[in-house]
Amino acid sequence: MTKYIFITGGVVSSLGKGIIAASLGRLLRARGFSVINQKFDPYINVDPGTMSPFQHGEVFVTDDGAETDLDLGHYERFTDTNLGKYNNVTSGSVYQHVIEKERRGDYLGGTVQVIPHITNEIKSRILGATKQFTPDFQLIEIGGTIGDIESLPFIEAIRQFKSEVGIGNAVSVHCTLIPYLPTSGELKTKPSQHSVSVLRSYGIQPEVLVCRTTRPIPKTEKEKLALFCSVPKEAVIECRDMKSIYEVPLALEDQNMAHVILDMLRVQDRTPDLKAWQKLVENIKNSKNSITVAIAGKYTKLSDAYISVVESLKHAGYANDTKIDIKWINSEECVDYKNCKELMKDVSAVVVPGGFGVRGIEGKLNVIKYARENNVPFLGLCLGMQCAVIEYARNVLGIKDANSKEFDENAPHAVIDLMLEQKNVQGYGGTMRLGAYDCVLKKGSKAHKAYGQDKISERHRHRYEVNNEYIKPLEEAGLVFSGMSPDGMLAEIVELPKLDWFVASQFHPEFKSRPERPHPLFKGLIDAAIKHKK
Ligand code: GLN
């Protein structure tokens, strides 16, 4: 039977609950247990697909084409497990389902209410995540902060769920903040005590506390927390700010967090195998070299908007004993080519990531032109690939007004066009070409060498594609289409073989990179960047 671990947060948001949930998942996986992570998001959007990256950060795409919260990226990277649409549940999706049932008449004239109908639907979503296979552990993180009005149905559902599965089958982990007051020179436990008492007033007694802190928590304060929050002393876990998120599992392991939880869940502990992870953290801490890699996009003010790209770059760095310093370049500042040159001159590589809309495009085209003309290693992702094709069409093929229909509906030379299947699509939200599709690689290409495979599967999220009418002329002008869909109809990868690394993909490789297994396209970029720096 699956054992359940619920993770809530108190005092403030942005505590890094996702990293804690992912880290605990890693500690259980390291013991040979199977694990599934799930995220509950209390907002009314059906999924984050329609939300601005400025508000919500990256939209993480799964193999089955779900547009999900970026925490799913952490879960996948830490536990090395592919997740899917059942692993992210929003209030919006819960209400949508319940209202659809009501309209169908499924409730037979009954009054449809938050309790029991919404809470029952939430409980069924907990079980729904494990339909395909029964993991040893299911870790469920509830977004938001205890006390928020909108998360109440989720809290009530987990209260019921916990009592239904009984003691020993479910535990609650509450993450809180222990603020430091410089004036008195003290760490303060009171906000955590309050947060736990609010949680208790909803009927949930947490069994474990994870305390986020900037400095070590003295034993006396831990004892105080244990006493006033009714948590065993050994279940008060300190989680200090760390240089790398990948250190967190080891810090939690040092405090026996997984062991304590296994004990509570009446599961015999096993010796964890964390050798590879320890090696990874050693690499991270002791990287001998460093390089600067630019990310040129329009959401650069919020680094969470490109979190999987950043992590993928780091993963490729770890494999090369190299620390990656990210230089954020706001593409709008590159519209002026002089400025662009200035911003680009000290970087060893550049990524032009995905995005939507015309703003900042001319700047991205300048960045790509600079990379192409100066042999700066370049990786284009989705929109970044479309821009690479536009830039090549304009500046090499000589089609001065080459463009994408996304930026100019009446573009006379639309080298990027709306996909046929998208032409009649109405409305936003889950309507793009989403999820994993196969791609066949051209033998002898850079992409083929990097992957070491003829056929790959990668995740997508787009409405536009390279207009096939332009493939031949672009090829004749030297652009190599090194990845195509199996039917040969959709361009997936373009590259310039003469340059050290000029590769761009219609898909999003960043969703499949893992800390211990960097993605081939990012690895290729960083290998070339190290050479470029030298
Ligand atoms: N806006 C482009 C499209 O829809 C690229 C999307 C993306 O970068 N994810 O095709």
Side-chain angles (χ1 to χ4, degrees):
M1 188 203 144
T2 301
K3 304 270 182 174
Y4 300 89
I5 302 171
F6 294 100
I7 296 137
T8 53
V11 185
V12 290
S13 59
S14 306
L15 279 173
K17 291 196 296 293
I19 305 285
I20 291 162
S23 297
L24 185 54
R26 162 54 56 169
L27 295 182
L28 294 168
R29 290 270 285 132
R31 289 165 160 81
F33 293 114
S34 55
V35 170
I36 268 206
N37 281 76
Q38 195 177 23
K39 173 87 191 274
F40 286 170
D41 281 309
Y43 50 71
I44 305 291
N45 302 63
V46 174
D47 60 45
T50 54
M51 286 158 90
S52 156
F54 281 126
Q55 295 220 356
H56 189 268
E58 166 187 280
V59 175
F60 186 80
V61 181
T62 54
D63 273 337
D64 64 359
E67 298 177 279
T68 71
D69 186 73
L70 59 82
D71 275 325
L72 269 80
H74 293 311
Y75 305 158
E76 285 205 354
R77 289 187 281 270
F78 278 70
T79 66
D80 201 2
T81 309
N82 287 338
L83 302 173
K85 57 178 182 245
Y86 301 113
N87 300 89
N88 195 186
V89 176
T90 66
S91 289
S93 71
V94 168
Y95 275 85
Q96 188 184 42
H97 187 72
V98 169
I99 291 168
E100 273 166 10
K101 274 167 77 178
E102 186 273 335
R103 292 288 85 180
R104 268 203 315 265
D106 290 7
Y107 296 112
L108 303 173
T111 308
V112 182
Q113 294 178 295
V114 173
I115 298 165
H117 301 97
I118 295 295
T119 45
N120 283 352
E121 177 60 24
I122 294 171
K123 287 193 283 179
S124 82
R125 298 292 181 100
I126 299 175
L127 300 171
T130 56
K131 264 199 193 118
Q132 283 117 331
F133 94 109
T134 310
D136 298 319
F137 295 93
Q138 188 171 345
L139 282 71
I140 301 136
E141 177 194 345
I142 292 93
T145 310
I146 288 305
D148 292 349
I149 292 173
E150 53 180 12
S151 56
L152 283 176
F154 288 99
I155 305 297
E156 169 60 12
I158 66 174
R159 184 197 66 75
Q160 292 180 12
F161 194 92
K162 275 184 85 178
S163 75
E164 281 163 3
V165 294
I167 295 169
N169 290 318
V171 295
S172 295
V173 175
H174 191 53
C175 305
T176 73
L177 177 74
I178 311 291
Y180 176 75
L181 289 192
T183 42
S184 62
E186 282 174 313
L187 284 166
K188 290 299 194 185
T189 64
K190 197 65 66 75
S192 301
Q193 295 178 39
H194 278 300
S195 179
V196 168
S197 89
V198 175
L199 195 50
R200 272 205 219 113
S201 74
Y202 301 148
I204 294 178
Q205 166 64 53
E207 283 86 358
V208 179
L209 280 188
V210 178
C211 305
R212 295 282 291 108
T213 168
T214 50
R215 48 189 75 209
I217 306 173
K219 195 159 161 262
T220 50
E221 297 310 294
K222 281 193 187 161
E223 283 169 359
K224 201 153 112 193
L225 279 162
L227 182 65
F228 294 123
C229 300
S230 309
V231 170
K233 266 187 256 169
E234 65 277 12
V236 178
I237 311 288
E238 170 186 301
C239 187
R240 235 183 295 165
D241 293 353
M242 272 158 227
K243 280 223 176 80
S244 162
I245 52 173
Y246 299 111
E247 291 177 56
V248 176
L250 301 182
L252 300 180
E253 181 62 24
D254 283 346
Q255 298 172 76
N256 291 320
M257 180 176 179
H259 179 83
V260 168
I261 290 177
L262 289 170
D263 229 23
M264 290 170 172
L265 292 172
R266 298 172 189 163
V267 177
Q268 179 75 44
D269 196 2
R270 303 172 182 170
T271 314
D273 179 1
L274 284 162
K275 273 197 270 344
W277 201 269
Q278 274 153 349
K279 170 123 200 312
L280 170 80
V281 172
E282 282 303 307
N283 280 355
I284 296 174
K285 285 186 172 162
N286 306 321
S287 349
K288 287 193 198 68
N289 318 302
S290 73
I291 54 168
T292 303
V293 179
I295 298 180
K298 69 173 174 181
Y299 312 116
T300 45
K301 282 211 179 72
L302 183 76
S303 59
D304 265 4
Y306 301 112
I307 185 142
S308 291
V309 177
V310 172
E311 291 308 311
S312 302
L313 288 169
K314 289 186 190 165
H315 301 163
Y318 303 152
N320 277 308
D321 214 3
T322 298
K323 183 172 164 283
I324 308 291
D325 295 317
I326 305 283
K327 174 167 179 173
W328 295 102
I329 295 185
N330 180 350
S331 48
E332 283 171 278
E333 285 170 22
C334 293
V335 175
D336 175 30
Y337 195 61
K338 254 221 235 101
N339 225 4
C340 173
K341 281 205 297 214
E342 195 51 37
L343 288 166
M344 286 284 292
K345 72 170 194 248
D346 58 349
V347 310
S348 298
V350 60
V351 178
V352 176
F356 296 85
V358 68
R359 190 160 61 80
I361 290 299
E362 295 302 322
K364 286 181 188 172
L365 296 177
N366 278 342
V367 166
I368 296 169
K369 176 177 148 79
Y370 182 91
R372 183 176 56 75
E373 290 180 345
N374 296 281
N375 198 8
V376 178
F378 159 77
L379 180 62
L381 309 172
C382 203
L383 181 71
M385 179 264 208
Q386 297 173 355
C387 287
V389 172
I390 297 171
E391 193 278 323
Y392 207 76
R394 284 191 192 174
N395 300 329
V396 181
L397 198 54
I399 310 176
K400 290 283 165 255
D401 54 358
N403 213 339
S404 164
K405 282 257 171 84
E406 182 176 5
F407 316 138
D408 177 6
E409 256 183 80
N410 305 313
H413 291 105
V415 292
I416 306 295
D417 201 353
L418 193 63
M419 279 184 284
L420 199 59
E421 70 214 51
Q422 287 284 328
K423 293 218 158 117
N424 294 317
V425 168
Q426 304 261 320
Y428 299 102
T431 56
M432 281 186 254
R433 179 173 183 258
L434 289 165
Y437 287 89
D438 286 345
C439 161
V440 180
L441 301 177
K442 186 177 197 142
K443 296 230 164 71
S445 64
K446 286 213 154 72
H448 187 263
K449 268 190 220 131
Y451 279 95
Q453 262 167 268
D454 298 339
K455 199 171 171 191
I456 54 166
S457 167
E458 292 281 2
R459 300 180 188 175
H460 298 71
R461 183 174 186 247
H462 63 120
R463 290 183 214 282
Y464 293 83
E465 63 176 345
V466 176
N467 182 344
N468 288 347
E469 283 175 29
Y470 290 91
I471 290 188
K472 204 160 166 264
L474 283 162
E475 267 177 338
E476 282 164 7
L479 190 65
V480 171
F481 288 78
S482 53
M484 295 294 291
S485 59
D487 63 3
M489 292 306 283
L490 187 123
E492 289 276 19
I493 310 179
V494 295
E495 60 181 74
L496 289 174
K498 290 212 181 88
L499 300 186
D500 289 341
W501 189 265
F502 188 102
V503 179
S505 65
Q506 183 56 73
F507 52 79
H508 290 270
E510 70 270 26
F511 296 139
K512 286 183 73 170
S513 177
R514 301 280 157 89
E516 302 160 273
R517 231 177 321 111
H519 190 284
L521 296 187
F522 282 90
K523 176 88 172 42
L525 177 79
I526 297 304
D527 290 351
I530 291 168
K531 248 177 66 193
H532 182 81
K533 187 186 173 184
K534 277 184 190 148

